[in-house]
Amino acid sequence: MNIGLNRCFIVVTICIHYFCCLVKSQPFDYPIANLSTKWINSPSAPHSVDFSDGSTVRAILLRGTFGPRYACGFFCNGNCDTYLFAIYIVDTNSASGITLVGFPQVVWSANRDNPVKLNATLELTSDGDLILRDVDATIAWSTNTGNKSVVGLNLTDMGNLVLFDKNNATVWQSFDHPTDSLVPGQKLVLGQELTASVSVSNWSQGGLFSLSVTDQGLVAFIESNPPQPYYENTVSGTKTSEEPSYVRFQNGSLAFYIISSEPSQPDRVIFLPNASSLQYMRLDNDGRLRVYEWMPSEWKEVVDLFKDYFRECDFPLVCGNYGLCSGGHCTCPANTSWETTTYFEQINNRQPALGCSEKTPLSCEASQYHSFLELNDTTYFNFRSDLQNIDPEQCKQACLQNCSCKAALFRYGWNSSVGECYLPSEIFSLKHIDKLRNHYNSTTYVKVQKVSSVSPRRKKTNRIKTILGFSLGSLAGLCFLIGIVVFFFWKKNNDDEVEEDYLDQVPGLPTRFSYEDLKVITESFNKKLGEGGFGSVFEGTLTDGTKIAVKRLDGLGQIKKSFLAEVETIGSIHHVNLVRLIGFCAEKSHRLLVYEYMPNGSLDRWIFHSSHGFVLHWQQRKKIILDIAKGLTYLHEDCRQKIIHLDIKPQNILLDENFNAKVSDFGLSKLIDRDQSQVVTTMRGTPGYLAPEWLSSVITEKVDTYSFGVVILEILCGRKNIDRSQPEEDMHLLRLFKKKAEEEHLEDLIDKYNEDMQIINREEVVNMMKVAAWCLQSDFARRPSMSMVIKVLEGVSEIEHNLDYDFCNLPLAKVSHQEVNVSFSLLPSVLSGPR
Ligand SMILES: *[C@@H]1O[C@H](CO)[C@@H](O)[C@H](O)[C@H]1NC(C)=O
Ligand SMILES: *[C@@H]1O[C@H](CO)[C@@H](O)[C@H](O)[C@H]1NC(C)=O
Ligand SMILES: *[C@@H]1O[C@H](CO)[C@@H](O)[C@H](O)[C@H]1NC(C)=O
Ligand SMILES: *[C@@H]1O[C@H](CO)[C@@H](O)[C@H](O)[C@H]1NC(C)=O
Ligand SMILES: *[C@@H]1O[C@H](CO)[C@@H](O)[C@H](O)[C@H]1NC(C)=O
Ligand SMILES: *[C@@H]1O[C@H](CO)[C@@H](O)[C@H](O)[C@H]1NC(C)=O
Ligand SMILES: *[C@@H]1O[C@H](CO)[C@@H](O)[C@H](O)[C@H]1NC(C)=O
Ligand SMILES: *[C@@H]1O[C@H](CO)[C@@H](O)[C@H](O)[C@H]1NC(C)=O
Ligand SMILES: *[C@@H]1O[C@H](CO)[C@@H](O)[C@H](O)[C@H]1NC(C)=O
Ligand SMILES: *[C@@H]1O[C@H](CO)[C@@H](O)[C@H](O)[C@H]1NC(C)=O
Ligand SMILES: *[C@@H]1O[C@H](CO)[C@@H](O)[C@H](O)[C@H]1NC(C)=O
Ligand SMILES: *[C@@H]1O[C@H](CO)[C@@H](O)[C@H](O)[C@H]1NC(C)=O
């Protein structure tokens, strides 16, 4: 937290220029600048100083000649790719400037959201504008004070950067634009706020916490929509009509002043330790407001202002998002101990305080499956009364009706059956309350996404058929099939009164639909779900309400024989990680396939960051990878006939309402006998996912392993393998992967949008990248089988060592594309082609 604070001895490097300047007897204190002055952020700037904590300061103005003092100028910390124009406190210990102690403490910055690079410039123009330009001349920040009669820039002894006019009046001052800190004497005025940085290394104000003076008093908020207050130091009851107009940080106190009483005594104060030296106050990125003080030679925290305010379970992130705090311990919400379905799991089992993640994220599209976990005697760090005089049932209903509501927090009124209801849109830590010591009876209803069942509701008649189908032998089954066929013919001459029976399935075999039926079911092919090389996919609803996906294959009517053969094969394949073929239609020139409906669509919608801001978390991604591996293992190793998919890519991985992944469209797959280990075929599939041996015409199931490797990488990196929006050198993910592997910086590739992967699970993610590398071996014999992949994912086996990161290298690249097409024994599947 207080990384900037110094606890060790300091090694200091001072630029040679620094000495030169000193020798040239530049005044050591240079607090004022005139118009038409320009400074460059360059290591050769006159006052460039590197500190051993990794920070560099290049002072432009400096006030005071000894001890800790204010300076402004360029500042960087850490890797120093980017710089701030900032005000900081430095101590060079003596006027000679030889010994530097303490690390620089930034108390204000101009461009925290927009840091600049080396060779950026700051210019006080001839017309009085102060402009920060990046090295490419773009304006990163400016005071917009051109034409306002500015005559100079002054860094005051309070640490305020002031543009003044010829009467010494202030035209612009940094005190009016606070960032995350206050210095002694500085006010935080009504409407102004301090916003915490994202992290110690990222100064951006996108942090979660802010502190502002409102008409209620001093209030700290945690970011959400709308922000939720977690600390309130409200104005005393007698003065409610009057607003605090500002708070001032001063020696010994944080004082509330009311405009009407100015400049008299403060209305109220929060006492702070008396300053023995220079102090500053900062809203830290963990949401705490702390005062730091210069103790000769180092900075120390002297007080955490919120410390006494929070009991052990009161801080909004004490147990992370959705974490339930009880006596300081963190758990995840669960209905009751005997309830078998769990909706939340710990983000990290070893660190419960990191919070919980939803096993199935709430989806507004599937709001009919929203339900509540009931947590008695549970409340929240803040309670806003959104609805009054209602009962818990009405409170829950109100939450169900608003998709942004994530929980219904209810508390009973005093001795009453009704109460108040709060419907927050984001859930931070919940807390368990001791009923005896609490004034309220509070219940929290956490909204969860219920697991729904996709399988169609079976009719009574059908159940009988099912029993028959299973219990009679194969001969009887055959007779039964014949019966069904006869039934179809009969159906053709009858009308809709038997439709429901007609739609029922024979277990294990796909149902045959008539074209008319499918037209009705899909409302004349009205809702298109997607489009692929061979046709379009439409949404439909069976009479019992089951949703289905209907794929209409265009212009393939003539290949009738293979169509039926393929349908039969595909229809007989059942596995939880394979999209199930429910039925088909082959009538005149119409060829359609009916699949189970997958509410969350294809994987590409979720991993390549597009419009919706939703990001799959690590556990979900891991599960998806395992699901795909299981689906493929089934196709490769467990089917009666080995099936090679040949077109594994995110578009062909579909997700159900619980984000279980299922492989779809084994349409491209070529059926081969188990003992025939290789098959020659035409080059198919999708560029970017093709294994190198496609060029050599030796095709085994390992081409799927390769494509699977590409998909893993895409899932981990959150980008497409070939991404033309990237700069040329980064366009090919595999090439980048190789480069990063050589540099041993695989973590650079991790999806930038996913913090749990970037930080908490980084090691696991990098390990998964190695699984991908194994699957991507250019020599297909070195790739693992899919069942081996599962063993590795489940932790019972190890990844092979000595991986070759030259993924696109072709060991036997002698055969050209054209030659490949000449020999193959089977017709290309009519079901081929991407969806
Ligand atoms: C600013 O201008 C004044 C008067 O023109 C001059 O005395 C002073 O030295 C200048 N200051 C700097 C820092 O150049
Ligand atoms: C900065 O400017 C110096 C001198 O003009 C030049 O040598 C250096 O390459 C520049 N650096 C960057 C990052 O632009
Ligand atoms: C500055 O003032 C001059 C003359 O009053 C005007 O022409 C010019 O547009 C102004 N510039 C800005 C940036 O306001
Ligand atoms: C600059 O600020 C100091 C206070 O630190 C003040 O005494 C001085 O008058 C200011 N100078 C100008 C030119 O405004
Ligand atoms: C502005 O401040 C400077 C330095 O503090 C002082 O010398 C000067 O007289 C002041 N000018 C006016 C107009 O007050
Ligand atoms: C800093 O955080 C902001 C907000 O979260 C983010 O947009 C930005 O990319 C981060 N910057 C760096 C350098 O990580
Ligand atoms: C700070 O100083 C004041 C005045 O000397 C004194 O009354 C007060 O007790 C001191 N506060 C602390 C916390 O030491
Ligand atoms: C703060 O106030 C105390 C008590 O009044 C005093 O002893 C101390 O010197 C003051 N500190 C500063 C930095 O002015
Ligand atoms: C939680 O339990 C309550 C009653 O015990 C039940 O009504 C409710 O459906 C359960 N919620 C979920 C999401 O399982
Ligand atoms: C919560 O309390 C109510 C009333 O005391 C009770 O009916 C209900 O079963 C409790 N729910 C759980 C999940 O314990
Ligand atoms: C839904 O809840 C959000 C957040 O609480 C609120 O801003 C929005 O107005 C609500 N929408 C409706 C339709 O009530
Ligand atoms: C809280 O709940 C208990 C038991 O369910 C009940 O006896 C008590 O009266 C309730 N208190 C209030 C204030 O409603």
Side-chain angles (χ1 to χ4, degrees):
M1 250 149 263
N2 313 319
I3 287 173
L5 300 185
N6 164 18
R7 286 191 180 273
C8 51
F9 290 102
I10 303 153
V11 182
V12 177
T13 48
I14 303 174
C15 290
I16 291 165
H17 288 267
Y18 196 68
F19 288 114
C20 294
C21 296
L22 289 173
V23 174
K24 274 192 255 151
S25 78
Q26 160 118 11
F28 200 70
D29 167 300
Y30 38 95
I32 294 183
N34 289 337
L35 295 186
S36 305
T37 314
K38 190 167 171 178
W39 301 269
I40 299 180
N41 178 27
S42 147
S44 57
H47 309 284
S48 183
V49 182
D50 298 334
F51 288 81
S52 65
D53 68 341
S55 55
T56 294
V57 299
R58 302 200 171 113
I60 285 168
L61 302 180
L62 184 127
R63 164 78 64 179
T65 48
F66 83 102
R69 65 202 107 149
Y70 294 107
C72 77
F74 294 103
F75 170 88
C76 73
N77 192 350
N79 63 11
C80 283
D81 284 341
T82 54
Y83 294 79
L84 293 176
F85 169 56
I87 298 174
Y88 34 79
I89 308 173
V90 285
D91 187 8
T92 50
N93 204 32
S94 74
S96 69
I98 301 300
T99 325
L100 294 112
V101 290
F103 298 134
Q105 306 291 304
V106 172
V107 293
W108 176 85
S109 63
N111 57 321
R112 58 196 302 214
D113 286 330
N114 202 6
V116 294
K117 302 208 171 55
L118 211 58
N119 289 355
T121 60
L122 181 78
E123 186 178 4
L124 180 56
T125 62
S126 56
D127 65 353
D129 202 359
L130 187 62
I131 303 175
L132 178 65
R133 282 200 182 83
D134 208 345
V135 58
D136 59 6
T138 54
I139 295 183
W141 171 82
S142 131
T143 53
N144 293 316
T145 47
N147 268 3
K148 290 192 180 154
S149 357
V150 167
V151 300
L153 181 65
N154 185 11
L155 178 65
T156 73
D157 48 11
M158 275 171 65
N160 188 12
L161 188 65
V162 176
L163 284 164
F164 58 90
D165 64 14
K166 62 181 192 313
N167 301 320
N168 288 353
T170 298
V171 176
W172 178 95
Q173 57 180 344
S174 61
F175 272 13
D176 289 341
H177 307 272
T179 53
D180 60 358
S181 304
L182 294 176
V183 294
Q186 187 172 357
K187 300 171 188 171
L188 190 64
V189 179
L190 180 70
Q192 288 181 347
E193 64 174 17
L194 300 183
T195 47
S197 295
V198 169
S199 65
V200 173
S201 58
N202 185 342
W203 309 299
S204 162
Q205 61 176 327
L208 274 173
F209 304 97
S210 63
L211 178 76
S212 38
V213 176
T214 71
D215 49 14
Q216 302 295 309
L218 188 67
V219 186
F221 294 95
I222 183 163
E223 190 50 44
S224 87
N225 184 20
Q228 300 173 20
Y230 65 95
Y231 169 90
E232 288 175 86
N233 201 315
T234 45
V235 196
S236 53
T238 51
K239 297 227 176 183
T240 40
S241 59
E242 285 176 288
E243 305 170 344
S245 38
Y246 60 86
V247 297
R248 188 162 73 190
F249 174 39
Q250 54 200 29
N251 183 1
S253 69
L254 187 61
F256 292 72
Y257 287 87
I258 307 256
I259 272 186
S260 55
S261 63
E262 200 178 23
S264 66
Q265 288 298 305
D267 179 56
R268 202 155 47 90
V269 298
I270 300 173
F271 286 104
L272 303 173
N274 287 327
S276 53
S277 170
L278 193 51
Q279 291 183 333
Y280 72 97
M281 176 183 284
R282 183 172 67 197
L283 181 66
D284 282 322
N285 58 59
D286 61 356
R288 299 307 188 103
L289 185 64
R290 296 189 179 89
V291 176
Y292 296 99
E293 184 171 303
W294 174 250
M295 308 288 183
S297 88
E298 63 175 331
W299 288 94
K300 277 202 174 128
E301 173 188 332
V302 289
V303 66
D304 172 349
L305 270 81
F306 294 170
K307 197 172 165 201
D308 296 333
Y309 184 84
F310 297 119
R311 274 164 301 161
E312 59 191 356
C313 285
D314 289 337
F315 195 70
L317 284 176
V318 60
C319 284
N321 284 78
Y322 280 118
L324 174 59
C325 181
S326 177
H329 295 287
C330 299
T331 55
C332 292
N335 215 357
T336 50
S337 52
W338 46 264
E339 183 84 22
T340 46
T341 322
T342 55
Y343 293 91
F344 293 93
E345 57 194 357
Q346 239 135 35
I347 287 169
N348 184 330
N349 288 333
R350 272 164 289 167
Q351 288 168 274
L354 289 173
C356 307
S357 62
E358 307 150 88
K359 277 191 166 168
T360 309
L362 286 171
S363 153
C364 288
E365 281 84 54
S367 57
Q368 71 270 32
Y369 299 121
H370 288 173
S371 182
F372 290 104
L373 282 182
E374 178 179 321
L375 307 172
N376 278 346
D377 304 324
T378 302
T379 184
Y380 200 48
F381 62 86
N382 101 73
F383 192 95
R384 195 184 65 207
S385 179
D386 285 335
L387 299 165
Q388 295 88 26
N389 284 326
I390 61 171
D391 66 24
E393 226 23 71
Q394 291 166 313
C395 179
K396 279 155 75 176
Q397 279 308 319
C399 183
L400 279 181
Q401 272 150 27
N402 187 341
C403 195
S404 50
C405 171
K406 297 295 188 304
L409 304 178
F410 183 81
R411 66 186 192 194
Y412 286 97
W414 187 247
N415 253 343
S416 160
S417 60
V418 293
E420 298 170 300
C421 177
Y422 174 33
L423 307 170
S425 61
E426 185 169 355
I427 307 302
F428 301 103
S429 299
L430 297 161
K431 59 175 180 180
H432 187 80
I433 48 169
D434 184 344
K435 216 181 202 164
L436 298 175
R437 274 194 275 155
N438 217 68
H439 303 302
Y440 301 100
N441 274 357
S442 299
T443 304
T444 296
Y445 303 93
V446 180
K447 197 191 261 181
V448 293
Q449 189 79 33
K450 250 199 145 73
V451 180
S452 71
S453 159
V454 194
S455 56
R457 188 170 48 83
R458 292 187 185 279
K459 297 259 149 359
K460 233 184 206 158
T461 51
N462 189 46
R463 202 167 295 134
I464 294 164
K465 280 183 200 165
T466 310
I467 293 162
L468 281 177
F470 280 130
S471 57
L472 301 181
S474 56
L475 185 66
L478 195 62
C479 296
F480 185 64
L481 275 187
I482 293 166
I484 287 289
V485 172
V486 171
F487 175 63
F488 282 151
F489 274 104
W490 172 77
K491 158 71 175 97
K492 271 201 148 150
N493 305 319
N494 284 272
D495 44 21
D496 293 352
E497 63 196 40
V498 286
E499 182 159 280
E500 286 203 349
D501 274 344
Y502 173 68
L503 293 179
D504 282 341
Q505 305 173 28
V506 181
L509 272 191
T511 312
R512 187 169 191 157
F513 290 85
S514 77
Y515 187 69
E516 266 313 302
D517 288 338
L518 288 182
K519 240 174 109 176
V520 172
I521 286 168
T522 59
E523 294 170 4
S524 299
F525 302 103
N526 168 24
K527 258 200 217 165
K528 194 185 257 188
L529 293 171
E531 192 153 18
F534 282 80
S536 313
V537 183
F538 301 89
E539 185 182 315
T541 312
L542 299 183
T543 43
D544 70 352
T546 310
K547 278 194 176 178
I548 52 165
V550 178
K551 181 169 201 163
R552 192 172 65 191
L553 310 166
D554 300 327
L556 295 162
Q558 67 278 18
I559 319 174
K560 187 172 181 179
K561 209 169 136 195
S562 71
F563 180 80
L564 290 175
E566 295 241 21
V567 164
E568 201 173 305
T569 315
I570 294 167
S572 67
I573 295 171
H574 300 271
H575 186 269
V576 293
N577 297 119
L578 297 173
V579 175
R580 172 127 178 244
L581 181 74
I582 299 173
F584 67 99
C585 164
E587 195 178 295
K588 298 196 189 111
S589 65
H590 301 303
R591 294 291 177 272
L592 300 101
L593 297 174
V594 179
Y595 286 103
E596 68 175 298
Y597 179 75
M598 302 290 281
N600 279 320
S602 53
L603 180 61
D604 55 319
R605 275 179 50 195
W606 300 95
I607 53 173
F608 305 135
H609 304 291
S610 52
S611 47
H612 56 80
F614 180 84
V615 179
L616 291 174
H617 55 72
W618 172 235
Q619 298 303 337
Q620 285 174 315
R621 295 191 205 206
K622 234 168 57 180
K623 171 79 165 38
I624 287 170
I625 291 170
L626 184 64
D627 284 346
I628 304 171
K630 284 180 176 167
L632 282 176
T633 304
Y634 189 77
L635 291 176
H636 291 173
E637 299 169 31
D638 301 334
C639 275
R640 201 158 18 95
Q641 281 176 297
K642 175 187 288 195
I643 293 172
I644 308 183
H645 189 291
L646 300 184
D647 198 15
I648 290 295
K649 57 181 176 179
Q651 288 80 358
N652 283 338
I653 310 297
L654 303 187
L655 300 170
D656 73 6
E657 67 281 8
N658 296 323
F659 287 86
N660 294 313
K662 302 193 183 202
V663 175
S664 87
D665 268 33
F666 10 110
L668 257 178
S669 46
K670 173 78 38 206
L671 308 175
I672 54 166
D673 285 338
R674 245 189 205 290
D675 51 8
Q676 193 183 346
S677 62
Q678 297 180 354
V679 64
V680 179
T681 179
T682 46
M683 182 138 158
R684 290 184 309 209
T686 305
Y689 300 87
L690 294 175
E693 65 266 25
W694 277 105
L695 297 174
S696 68
S697 83
V698 184
I699 300 305
T700 68
E701 74 276 14
K702 296 289 181 68
V703 297
D704 286 348
T705 311
Y706 185 93
S707 310
F708 172 69
V710 177
V711 173
I712 298 186
L713 265 197
E714 293 183 328
I715 293 173
L716 302 183
C717 306
R719 56 159 283 187
K720 291 199 170 79
N721 179 16
I722 300 172
D723 183 352
R724 293 183 204 285
S725 67
Q726 301 274 347
E728 173 70 32
E729 69 272 20
D730 295 345
M731 209 163 85
H732 294 273
L733 181 56
L734 291 187
R735 213 181 286 161
L736 201 59
F737 187 34
K738 178 181 176 212
K739 185 169 145 236
K740 294 292 181 188
E742 281 163 1
E743 294 168 359
E744 299 191 335
H745 278 307
L746 286 177
E747 66 278 4
D748 292 356
L749 294 173
I750 301 175
D751 190 344
K752 300 276 181 298
Y753 291 86
N754 190 316
E755 209 157 298
D756 80 45
M757 284 163 68
Q758 285 278 353
I759 300 163
I760 308 157
N761 298 299
R762 174 189 286 218
E763 207 174 300
E764 249 189 294
V765 177
V766 168
N767 228 23
M768 187 68 88
M769 286 186 180
K770 292 183 181 147
V771 176
W774 193 11
C775 293
L776 287 167
Q777 294 301 293
S778 58
D779 176 0
F780 67 83
R782 292 192 58 192
R783 288 174 212 150
S785 67
M786 289 312 296
S787 52
M788 179 53 105
V789 171
I790 291 179
K791 282 186 192 151
V792 172
L793 294 180
E794 288 177 343
V796 286
S797 220
E798 293 275 303
I799 303 173
E800 197 180 87
H801 297 293
N802 303 324
L803 294 176
D804 168 16
Y805 281 80
D806 231 346
F807 307 120
C808 308
N809 192 23
L810 181 63
L812 347 131
K814 293 178 207 93
V815 194
S816 75
H817 282 232
Q818 287 81 353
E819 284 169 84
V820 181
N821 278 343
V822 293
S823 55
F824 62 94
S825 47
L826 300 165
L827 279 170
S829 161
V830 290
L831 307 176
S832 303
R835 288 163 44 93

